[in-house]
């Protein structure tokens, strides 16, 4: 966040409605080729099982590029690659100079679209969420009569992407997402090992927040220690591995306590969030909730027509009740903004100056 000093300073000065978003997240589709029981968006997807039209998706890309938004993330919602126009949209965003990212379950990456995906993105994160075929089948439940070993298929696609990237001299970061629940809690080592052999740049380990109370207790109380031990085992056995292991341990406690120790949500204007119905939302945590929609993008009413309507956006923002918000990935940004609001100019400047150039990967996709 601190990389984007202009926007951060405008937020601190109370001008958050004036800023250009750093990045735009878009759900090309609410449809999915997997049926994950832990999916936070499953009920919302079922109610609106649609995807963005080619016209609206490509219009959004053009608007983002024309306005100078720095990053665009294709995510879900559902599986982005279910929408037949997603790959073309990513390709166009890249042509416009927008740093483009993709979060996918990997099951729809094929020989036909793989090279374009790697060529068009700054990063791809594949939601593997398991260390074995059996657990992946339990976690992801591939649909439409898929008979293949989906876990191995996805790992093979990762290898293919890495091979293509390296052969072409590209810098696309290819990573793996690993969600922890009682099914996968003891497979972190296996997940790290599979990521290493697939050639991934990193594996991101974090908890699932939408779990029954008994499972939450298991993950909150047992996961930090067990995850650490498995990471240490991996690093001990694979000392020369280039794989970066990112485990966000504070989130294991933070997620289930869901304590908002800041006064206001100030970070949401940094990211524009577009759902598969074309609605522009306050944030990804409230995606699919009508109360937090700024309005629906159409061919006549485009993204920035809605974004620049300060009356509507201010009204939606004022309706936020932090105590009712779900566990939030924006917590760290909000805590820092809250802290900086109480600091003098020299202290604020020190935060920006503490950044070392080049040490933050993909700063344009918050």
């Amino acid at each position: 966040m601190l990389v984007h000093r202009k926007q951060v300073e405008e937020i601190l000065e109370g001008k958050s409605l004036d800023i250009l978003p750093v990045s735009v997240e878009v759900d090309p589709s609410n449809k999915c080729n997997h049926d994950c029981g832990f999916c936070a968006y499953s009920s919302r997807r079922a109610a609106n099982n649609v995807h963005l039209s080619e016209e609206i998706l490509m219009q959004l890309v053009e608007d983002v590029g024309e306005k100078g938004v720095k990053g665009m993330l294709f995510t879900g919602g559902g599986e982005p690659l279910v929408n037949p126009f997603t790959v073309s949209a990513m390709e166009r965003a890249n042509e416009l100079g927008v740093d483009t990212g993709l979060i996918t379950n990997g099951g729809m990456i094929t020989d036909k679209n793989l090279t374009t995906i790697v060529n068009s993105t700054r990063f791809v994160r594949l939601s593997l969420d398991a260390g074995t075929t059996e657990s992946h089948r339990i976690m992801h439940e591939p649909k439409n009569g898929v008979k293949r070993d989906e876990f191995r298929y996805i790992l093979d696609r990762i290898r293919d992407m890495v091979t293509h990237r390296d052969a072409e001299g590209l810098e696309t970061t290819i990573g793996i997402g690993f969600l922890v629940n009682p099914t996968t809690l003891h497979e972190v080592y296996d997940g790290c090992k599979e990521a290493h052999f697939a050639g991934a740049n990193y594996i991101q380990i974090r908890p699932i927040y939408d779990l029954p109370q008994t499972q939450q207790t298991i993950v909150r109380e047992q996961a930090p220690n067990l995850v650490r031990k498995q990471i240490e085992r991996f690093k001990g056995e694979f000392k020369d591995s280039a794989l970066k292991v990112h485990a966000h341990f504070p989130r294991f406690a933070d997620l289930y306590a869901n304590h908002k120790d800041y006064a206001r949500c100030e970070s949401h204007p940094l990211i524009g969030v577009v759902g598969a119905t074309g609605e522009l939302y306050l944030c990804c945590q409230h995606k699919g909730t009508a109360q937090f929609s700024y309005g629906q993008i159409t061919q006549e009413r485009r993204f920035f027509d809605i974004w620049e309507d300060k009356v509507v956006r201010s009204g939606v923002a004022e309706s936020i009740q932090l105590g009712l918000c779900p566990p939030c990935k924006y917590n760290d940004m909000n805590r820092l903004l809250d802290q900086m609001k109480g600091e003098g100019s020299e202290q604020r400047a020190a935060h920006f100056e503490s950044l070392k150039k080049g040490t933050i990967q993909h700063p344009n996709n918050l």
Side-chain angles (χ1 to χ4, degrees), residues 34-332:
H34 288 182
D35 192 16
C36 307
F38 57 84
C39 180
Y41 301 117
S42 57
S43 60
R44 301 171 199 172
R45 290 193 293 104
N48 291 286
N49 195 28
V50 297
H51 54 233
L52 286 174
S53 68
E54 180 181 19
E55 293 75 19
I56 296 300
L57 183 56
M58 298 307 291
Q59 172 186 288
L60 175 63
V61 170
E62 295 293 333
D63 289 350
V64 164
E66 182 181 324
K67 278 284 189 176
V69 174
K70 294 178 183 282
M72 193 165 188
L73 176 62
F74 293 79
T75 182
E79 164 54 43
L81 297 178
V82 168
N83 188 320
F85 309 111
T86 296
V87 175
S88 297
M90 292 192 297
E91 189 172 29
R92 179 58 180 153
N94 182 58
E95 290 171 353
L96 292 169
V98 180
D99 285 354
T100 305
L102 171 66
I103 297 178
T104 172
N105 61 41
M108 297 193 70
I109 296 176
T110 65
D111 292 341
K112 185 177 180 180
N113 63 23
L114 183 146
T115 56
T116 306
I117 289 171
V118 177
N119 293 351
S120 303
T121 53
R122 295 295 299 274
F123 75 91
V124 180
R125 191 178 84 208
L126 296 98
S127 303
L128 195 63
D129 305 320
T132 64
T133 294
E134 294 73 20
S135 291
H136 184 268
R137 190 171 290 122
I138 292 169
M139 293 286 284
H140 276 252
E141 299 184 40
K143 296 194 296 190
N144 302 323
V146 171
K147 302 294 185 185
R148 69 189 180 207
D149 184 336
E150 191 83 337
F151 180 72
R152 290 293 159 200
Y153 177 86
I154 294 164
L155 288 167
D156 286 343
R157 297 290 75 75
I158 294 171
R159 290 186 186 91
D160 292 342
M161 287 193 291
V162 169
T163 298
H164 172 72
R165 177 198 65 193
D166 294 348
E168 296 296 318
L170 302 171
E171 296 183 354
T172 309
T173 301
I174 299 170
I176 287 174
F178 188 104
L179 290 174
V180 173
N181 71 355
T183 298
T184 63
L185 181 55
H186 298 278
E187 293 187 1
V188 171
Y189 166 80
D190 298 302
C192 291
K193 189 169 66 171
E194 294 289 0
H196 163 76
F197 285 121
N201 294 104
Y202 72 88
I203 183 169
Q204 179 199 70
I205 302 163
R206 56 194 175 92
I208 297 173
Y209 83 83
D210 193 13
L211 291 173
Q213 187 61 48
T214 54
Q215 293 189 28
Q216 285 187 19
T217 301
I218 291 170
V219 173
R220 183 177 63 250
E221 294 180 355
Q222 299 182 24
N225 187 44
L226 286 171
V227 169
R228 278 193 183 91
K229 286 183 176 179
Q230 291 177 80
I231 292 173
E232 288 169 3
R233 178 187 171 193
F234 169 76
K235 289 182 175 179
E237 294 181 13
F238 295 86
K239 291 183 174 65
D240 297 327
S241 177
L243 179 75
K244 291 181 172 62
V245 181
H246 303 303
H248 195 344
F249 289 109
R251 186 171 288 191
F252 284 89
D254 193 30
L255 216 51
Y256 299 130
N258 196 24
H259 175 55
K260 306 293 192 297
D261 51 355
Y262 44 86
R264 291 172 58 86
C265 178
E266 301 276 13
S267 63
H268 62 82
L270 295 168
I271 308 169
V273 177
V274 180
T277 60
E279 297 282 336
L280 175 56
Y281 291 103
L282 175 129
C283 71
C284 68
Q285 307 300 116
H286 290 297
K287 191 164 52 181
T289 305
Q291 175 188 347
F292 295 102
S293 169
Y294 297 138
Q296 187 177 36
I297 297 169
T298 64
Q299 288 181 283
E300 294 74 31
R301 192 167 182 240
R302 301 165 81 107
F303 179 95
F304 284 101
D305 295 327
I306 300 171
W307 187 262
E308 292 167 3
D309 188 335
K310 296 180 183 180
V311 174
V312 170
R313 286 182 59 220
S314 176
V316 172
E318 288 300 320
S319 72
I320 298 172
Q321 298 181 56
L322 290 180
L324 300 180
C325 284
C328 183
K329 76 171 189 177
Y330 299 22
N331 278 345
D332 289 342

